[in-house]
Amino acid sequence: MFELEFMRNAFLAGFIISLLCPCIGLFLVLKRYSMIGDTLSHSSFAGVAIGLVFGFNPIITAFIFTSICAIVIELLRDYFKKYAELVMSIILTLSLGIAIVLISSGKASAKVNSYLFGSILTVSKSDLYLISIIGLICFVTIALLYKKLIYTTFDEEGAKVSGINVKLVNYIFTLIVGATISVSIRVMGILVISSIIVVPVATAMQLKKGFSVTLILSMIFGVIDILVGLITSYYFNSAPGGTIALTSVALLIIVLILFKRE
């Protein structure tokens, strides 16, 4: 299996994604903001459609479009403070509308399935380099903002009083979320990206540890989900995104059974 270059590329890309997605996922879950994963994954669909129709690298166009949508979400939050889910619906509707119009033109329909459901065959060396660079930037940014992110996650008002530029931190974090989703579409597929963002976090939270330990456990569960999912999808010739999603839910059920509350 590993003598094949596309499998090595897929596993390396998957390893980066399996660390990055649960890392941002924990902050999203604790912010009660996990739906942003679904919203931005649909935004990445529009970005991919733009790339396929106009002949650009779909990952780059997905990254640009998803980042724009992430910034717009943060801007609109000021106008819909009591109805944050309304912002998600607006962006999701806009993105799906753009994607459907472009895909229905017939110029991208042949290639779109590999982005919707994920495909280990499509991870090229250039994609791996791009995923590695964006992943490294995201990890470094999270490390630099780690304490501020924790503060704004648990007490946004207290963070403002203490002098933290909460708006800037939120803008940067939403950009990280957008970047993470855009680089995950090759392996995971657009439809199930949110599963690797949220489910490993839900699994880790069942162990009832502190924030730092839960973050590490989330990343460990993410690695297990993606590696097992990729191996299974290779041998059963199934879409990796769906297989990884099923693996992550199966692992969550196992942990729930083993560590069920008294």
Side-chain angles (χ1 to χ4, degrees):
M1 179 170 64
F2 288 104
E3 66 272 10
L4 301 170
E5 185 182 3
F6 71 86
M7 283 303 298
R8 292 196 298 272
N9 292 342
F11 270 90
L12 287 170
F15 181 72
I16 296 167
I17 291 164
S18 68
L19 295 175
L20 189 55
C21 285
C23 184
I24 65 162
L26 182 58
F27 291 103
L28 288 175
V29 169
L30 293 175
K31 279 174 172 279
R32 305 287 195 274
Y33 213 35
S34 54
M35 278 302 294
I36 195 174
D38 272 330
T39 303
L40 292 181
S41 66
H42 286 86
S43 299
S44 71
F45 185 23
V48 166
I50 291 169
L52 292 175
V53 169
F54 295 103
F56 300 110
N57 185 321
I59 292 183
I60 294 175
T61 52
F63 169 62
I64 294 170
F65 190 84
T66 306
S67 297
I68 292 170
C69 288
I71 292 171
V72 172
I73 286 172
E74 204 55 43
L75 283 170
L76 290 179
R77 281 181 68 193
D78 292 334
Y79 292 93
F80 300 97
K81 289 181 180 179
K82 294 182 179 179
Y83 306 99
E85 71 280 359
L86 190 60
V87 177
M88 308 296 178
S89 297
I90 293 168
I91 298 300
L92 191 147
T93 302
L94 172 67
S95 301
L96 280 180
I98 293 171
I100 291 169
V101 167
L102 291 175
I103 297 298
S104 64
S105 69
K107 296 180 181 179
S109 57
K111 299 178 183 178
V112 75
N113 280 351
S114 64
Y115 291 94
L116 281 174
F117 306 113
S119 174
I120 52 179
L121 295 172
T122 62
V123 183
S124 64
K125 191 153 274 186
S126 61
D127 291 330
L128 180 59
Y129 290 146
L130 188 60
I131 291 168
S132 300
I133 292 167
I134 294 177
L136 180 62
I137 293 170
C138 290
F139 277 124
V140 170
T141 306
I142 291 171
L144 292 173
L145 295 176
Y146 185 72
K147 290 184 179 178
K148 292 180 180 180
L149 278 171
I150 293 175
Y151 205 166
T152 55
T153 296
F154 288 102
D155 186 4
E156 200 165 282
E157 291 303 317
K160 288 178 182 176
V161 172
S162 67
I164 294 173
N165 190 336
V166 173
K167 273 194 175 183
L168 179 61
V169 171
N170 284 338
Y171 275 121
I172 294 172
F173 181 67
T174 51
L175 284 173
I176 292 171
V177 175
T180 299
I181 289 172
S182 65
V183 298
S184 302
I185 55 180
R186 280 293 206 189
V187 175
M188 282 300 300
I190 290 163
L191 295 179
V192 288
I193 288 174
S194 56
S195 66
I196 200 63
I197 293 175
V198 174
V199 180
V201 174
T203 306
M205 290 176 77
Q206 303 311 308
L207 303 181
K208 302 175 204 173
K209 303 295 182 182
F211 182 88
S212 297
V213 175
T214 302
L215 180 61
I216 293 169
L217 287 172
S218 299
M219 294 165 77
I220 291 171
F221 286 131
V223 170
I224 294 171
D225 291 342
I226 282 191
L227 294 186
V228 173
L230 282 176
I231 292 170
T232 305
S233 71
Y234 175 79
Y235 285 109
F236 285 89
N237 195 28
S238 57
T243 310
I244 292 166
L246 290 174
T247 303
S248 64
V249 173
L251 184 58
L252 172 59
I253 293 170
I254 292 168
V255 172
L256 282 171
I257 294 169
L258 292 176
F259 297 91
K260 63 181 178 180
R261 295 177 181 178
E262 299 295 332

